[in-house]
Amino acid sequence: MMKGVIKTERALEISEKLASAVWGVPTIALLVGVGVFYTVRLRFFQFRHPGLWLSNTFFAIFKKENVRNHSDKKSLSQFQAMATTLAATIGTGNIAGVAAAIAAGGPGAVFWMWLCSLISMMTSYSENLLGIYYRHRGENGEWRGGPMYYLKEGLSKNRHSAKAGLVLAYAFSAFTLLASFGIGNMSQSNSISVVFSSSLNISPYITGAIVAVITFVAIGGGVERIGAITEKLVPFMALFYISASLYIVICNIQNAPAVFSSIIRSAFSLRSAAGGIGGAALGKCISIGFKRGVFSNEAGLGSTVLVGSSSNVKEPAIQGMWGIFQVFVDTTVICTVTAFVLLSTTVNAVPLRTAINNLSENTQYVLLDESKQSPEKVFLSDAHENSVYTLAPDNTIEKGAKSTYSNIMSIRGVRDKESGRIKSFILEEIEGAALVSLAFNCVFGKWADIILSVSVALFALSTIMGWSFYGIKSIDFIFGERKRKAYIFVFSLLSFFGAIARLDLVWCISDIFNGLMAIPNLFGIVLLSKDVIAVTNNFLRRQSGEKLTALLNIHGEY
């Protein structure tokens, strides 16, 4: 038993190092760099044509019948494709992930998330455009498209890169398939299980069984049923979470100037939330903001293209605009709402010294500031010994060599009734999901747990639906469509085990494969940039009234 534990811990340690390497500075720089490359090459399309991409996406949902409906049962409507894509990208990271970014990098991390999303829009545009341009019909009548197809067929136009394209195509498919089991399934069912167990006291076994059954029924009906479910689930879950969040925003609207001021000021500050000073602190803030932005919207990973390629859209450029819209909703809208909820509620947190002076059994929330004050002694008395803690100049509480410092902390304690001296206190870091819980509790009280439980469950379940689509398309490419049923059974079964298992190792391995998806995809969209530019320019010229025909996809189809 002990050997098994040691092996598991060793495997976890190795996996954590690999995950850090895969998601290190080079990968983030590559993802951001490709976004900058396309932003420049397409002459800042996302900024110059906001009316164009919004009219062909969001506003088209209400104005154009073919965007919401479709006559071809072997494809998805544009709205279904968008909903399925958002189902996969809008996950628990939009809640707990934003909180973790703020706790680790300070409010300034939100600014760098915004910048990342603006740049990533063009990465998402280019890969979604290529997905339509290189797709073709399969034997069963469904569209076959995604990074594996534009890697294989796009690079095959040059005989020197044909073999490399085939290798990259299979590598992308394999990484996507493996990631679908972890980050797209087990980790999500575990998130549902944890929140239901802690908030509603529901057994993980019951949660796992329910999630497994829902998953099997949903994805067993193929891509058509997945699309039908997500087009109903995603608008509901987004409205549910955003409505609750906007209520908090309205309740704290007086804090809006302070929130935006803290975001901008912290974005360029040389002191990070974790107490670092100098260029390293600013670098950490930028790194965390960009990394969380990439994690959130998945632009550059190629995953969203697998769904977009099944859309009934005819214009590759319009599908590219849906890619821009997906990034806009995921990061610019939902992550911003989460950030404002967190920052507007914690802006009223008190300095640590004030909290200690008013210490009681009631929980207080502490925002550690940067002021330099003289050390102050905090005396704790109990039946056995008198302990002395030092409140240091940087507002940490120290005893011996130990110290604690976080952006947001909670404190509560007990005073001696006669002397008024502090008998004991608990000072705890608040980050991640706990920070979100704090924010919702400040406004909704006892209802906060229920609201967050439902939000997390819907976000995680939608992610499972979206990633099952990715896995199915990868199975089709590697093994053929006859292996779908086996994949669906295994995928559903793993959602049960994910709910009851310890997932440290699974999370790390999933992060590795998730990050590895980006490498072949980014090579592909850069090497095929001439196609992206030609299709975009052709579309823009036709929009301006020039008499040009639409560019057919590589197979001569719309």
Side-chain angles (χ1 to χ4, degrees):
M1 182 69 177
M2 183 60 69
K3 289 182 178 179
V5 173
I6 293 173
K7 287 182 179 179
T8 301
E9 293 300 326
R10 179 59 177 163
L12 179 60
E13 182 182 347
I14 294 172
S15 298
E16 286 176 342
K17 290 181 179 179
L18 285 173
S20 296
V22 169
W23 281 106
V25 173
T27 302
I28 301 299
L30 183 61
L31 284 161
V32 175
V34 171
V36 172
F37 169 78
Y38 269 109
T39 295
V40 174
R41 289 299 304 271
L42 294 175
R43 294 174 293 178
F44 301 89
F45 181 96
Q46 70 272 48
F47 305 117
R48 291 172 57 234
H49 303 288
L52 182 64
W53 58 261
L54 281 172
S55 65
N56 280 288
T57 54
F58 178 71
F59 294 117
I61 295 172
F62 307 100
K63 294 181 178 180
K64 298 179 180 180
E65 183 71 17
N66 69 315
V67 171
R68 300 187 305 274
N69 302 311
H70 60 104
S71 56
D72 181 5
K73 292 185 178 181
K74 296 297 184 179
S75 68
L76 301 175
S77 71
Q78 294 174 53
F79 180 70
Q80 285 179 324
M82 181 272 295
T84 306
T85 298
L86 287 176
T89 57
I90 298 176
T92 53
N94 294 77
I95 301 178
V98 176
I102 292 173
V110 177
F111 174 86
W112 300 110
M113 284 177 63
W114 289 340
L115 183 59
C116 178
S117 72
L118 293 173
I119 293 171
S120 298
M121 284 178 176
M122 294 316 296
T123 307
S124 184
Y125 172 85
S126 62
E127 61 188 1
N128 275 280
L129 181 152
L130 289 170
I132 296 295
Y133 190 63
Y134 281 95
R135 73 179 179 178
H136 61 88
R137 294 280 186 180
E139 294 176 3
N140 65 353
E142 290 182 4
W143 286 113
R144 288 183 175 179
M148 61 279 275
Y149 291 97
Y150 58 69
L151 286 168
K152 177 186 174 183
E153 299 181 21
L155 297 182
S156 67
K157 291 185 294 185
N158 184 329
R159 63 185 181 87
H160 297 294
S161 60
K163 287 185 178 179
L166 191 61
V167 170
L168 290 174
Y170 276 100
F172 173 84
S173 300
F175 295 147
T176 303
L177 178 62
L178 293 169
S180 75
F181 291 132
I183 202 166
N185 185 2
M186 295 180 70
S187 58
Q188 302 299 325
S189 63
N190 188 261
S191 295
I192 299 173
S193 172
V194 169
V195 75
F196 274 29
S197 177
S198 60
S199 301
L200 306 176
N201 200 29
I202 297 176
S203 168
Y205 289 91
I206 295 175
T207 301
I210 293 172
V211 172
V213 170
I214 292 174
T215 300
F216 184 78
V217 171
I219 69 177
V223 297
E224 184 182 0
R225 187 179 297 172
I226 294 172
I229 292 173
T230 54
E231 73 173 337
K232 296 177 178 64
L233 178 61
V234 169
F236 174 76
M237 80 174 186
L239 285 173
F240 180 82
Y241 177 71
I242 291 175
S243 296
S245 299
L246 286 178
Y247 180 77
I248 297 177
V249 170
I250 293 170
C251 291
N252 294 292
I253 196 66
Q254 72 278 5
N255 295 330
V259 168
F260 287 107
S261 173
S262 68
I263 290 173
I264 301 302
R265 187 175 63 252
S266 175
F268 302 97
S269 172
L270 292 180
R271 180 184 291 272
S272 74
I277 299 175
L282 180 59
K284 181 178 180 180
C285 178
I286 296 172
S287 174
I288 290 171
F290 274 107
K291 185 178 291 187
R292 180 47 53 194
V294 169
F295 268 40
S296 175
N297 58 55
E298 297 184 13
L301 301 190
S303 52
T304 63
V305 189
L306 294 164
V307 178
S309 299
S310 296
S311 167
N312 67 346
V313 70
K314 293 182 179 180
E315 288 276 3
I318 289 181
Q319 186 56 42
M321 294 178 203
W322 280 109
I324 293 176
F325 181 71
Q326 173 259 314
V327 173
F328 174 76
V329 172
D330 181 274
T331 307
T332 311
V333 176
I334 294 183
C335 287
T336 298
V337 169
T338 300
F340 190 91
V341 165
L342 299 175
L343 296 173
S344 65
T345 50
T346 57
V347 77
N348 293 322
V350 299
L352 182 55
R353 295 176 188 278
T354 303
I356 289 176
N357 290 336
N358 299 307
L359 191 70
S360 70
E361 294 180 5
N362 296 323
T363 300
Q364 297 179 79
Y365 296 101
V366 178
L367 181 65
L368 300 183
D369 58 36
E370 302 172 6
S371 61
K372 290 292 181 182
Q373 303 174 27
S374 58
E376 179 180 316
K377 302 293 183 181
V378 179
F379 294 93
L380 305 181
S381 60
D382 53 45
H384 303 288
E385 61 177 344
N386 289 329
S387 302
V388 179
Y389 284 70
T390 302
L391 183 59
D394 62 357
N395 275 333
T396 64
I397 287 185
E398 300 177 349
K399 183 181 182 183
K402 295 182 179 180
S403 64
T404 303
Y405 195 109
S406 177
N407 189 35
I408 300 293
M409 305 185 78
S410 69
I411 188 170
R412 63 187 186 278
V414 178
R415 290 183 179 274
D416 183 81
K417 291 182 179 180
E418 295 182 1
S419 65
R421 295 179 65 183
I422 298 171
K423 295 180 65 177
S424 63
F425 68 84
I426 298 175
L427 184 67
E428 296 177 312
E429 295 183 12
I430 303 292
E431 56 185 349
L435 187 55
V436 182
S437 181
L438 151 65
F440 273 73
N441 268 293
C442 288
V443 175
F444 292 108
K446 64 180 182 180
W447 292 98
D449 287 341
I450 295 175
I451 292 171
L452 280 176
S453 296
V454 172
S455 296
V456 169
L458 290 175
F459 278 28
L461 194 60
S462 71
T463 301
I464 292 173
M465 297 296 105
W467 270 89
S468 70
F469 195 109
Y470 300 167
I472 287 172
K473 291 300 181 181
S474 298
I475 280 286
D476 288 352
F477 184 81
I478 300 173
F479 301 109
E481 294 167 6
R482 288 174 296 180
K483 299 297 183 182
R484 279 189 181 185
K485 290 183 179 179
Y487 171 81
I488 290 169
F489 176 78
V490 172
F491 189 87
S492 302
L493 189 63
L494 287 177
S495 64
F496 170 76
F497 287 109
I500 63 175
R502 174 188 170 185
L503 287 186
D504 294 1
L505 185 58
V506 174
W507 265 109
C508 281
I509 294 173
S510 299
D511 279 346
I512 292 169
F513 290 125
N514 198 214
L516 288 174
M517 288 168 59
I519 297 173
N521 182 56
L522 291 172
F523 274 111
I525 61 178
V526 170
L527 293 174
L528 297 172
S529 61
K530 288 184 179 179
D531 291 334
V532 176
I533 295 168
V535 172
T536 302
N537 289 338
N538 178 281
F539 177 80
L540 290 175
R541 288 199 296 270
R542 282 186 285 116
Q543 292 296 302
S544 66
E546 291 188 35
K547 293 182 179 180
L548 294 167
T549 57
L551 288 177
L552 301 178
N553 70 21
I554 194 66
H555 299 281
E557 301 174 290
Y558 278 105

